[in-house]
Amino acid sequence: MAETTFWTRERFPIVYEGSEVKAILVDIASFEQMELIMDNLLNREEEPEDAILAASAVLQRLVAQARQEPASSDWERELDEL
């Protein structure tokens, strides 16, 4: 499967006010994709597994363990391999 980095500043025109970035212009197809993603994130139902993990001490231990690991130089590739 080919990977495409879709939402980057380089892909969309940027509107400046003086030297400050004020807005990014997107085409309607891109907006519809972003709207769908945001709607899915905001309206998704809780999953029982999430509540169990959050209530247990396992999540806190995993986070603490992850913070002790050195950062990967190529985390995107490693994540794709999973």
Side-chain angles (χ1 to χ4, degrees):
M1 176 166 76
E3 180 181 321
T4 302
T5 305
F6 187 74
W7 289 287
T8 63
R9 285 181 167 215
E10 292 77 26
R11 188 176 187 289
F12 301 102
I14 298 175
V15 177
Y16 292 89
E17 187 174 286
S19 61
E20 188 176 349
V21 174
K22 287 294 182 174
I24 296 176
L25 302 176
V26 298
D27 57 90
I28 195 66
S30 299
F31 177 80
E32 288 172 346
Q33 287 181 336
M34 289 184 277
E35 187 176 42
L36 178 64
I37 290 169
M38 294 302 295
D39 187 53
N40 287 340
L41 289 172
L42 293 172
N43 296 309
R44 70 185 188 120
E45 294 181 19
E46 286 188 26
E47 297 187 20
E49 297 86 359
D50 294 343
I52 293 168
L53 185 60
S56 73
V58 173
L59 182 60
Q60 288 78 18
R61 286 197 312 262
L62 287 172
V63 169
Q65 182 181 351
R67 287 185 174 149
Q68 292 175 3
E69 294 291 323
S72 170
S73 61
D74 194 4
W75 63 269
E76 290 174 322
R77 181 189 54 76
E78 292 176 14
L79 183 62
D80 285 339
E81 289 176 357
L82 293 176

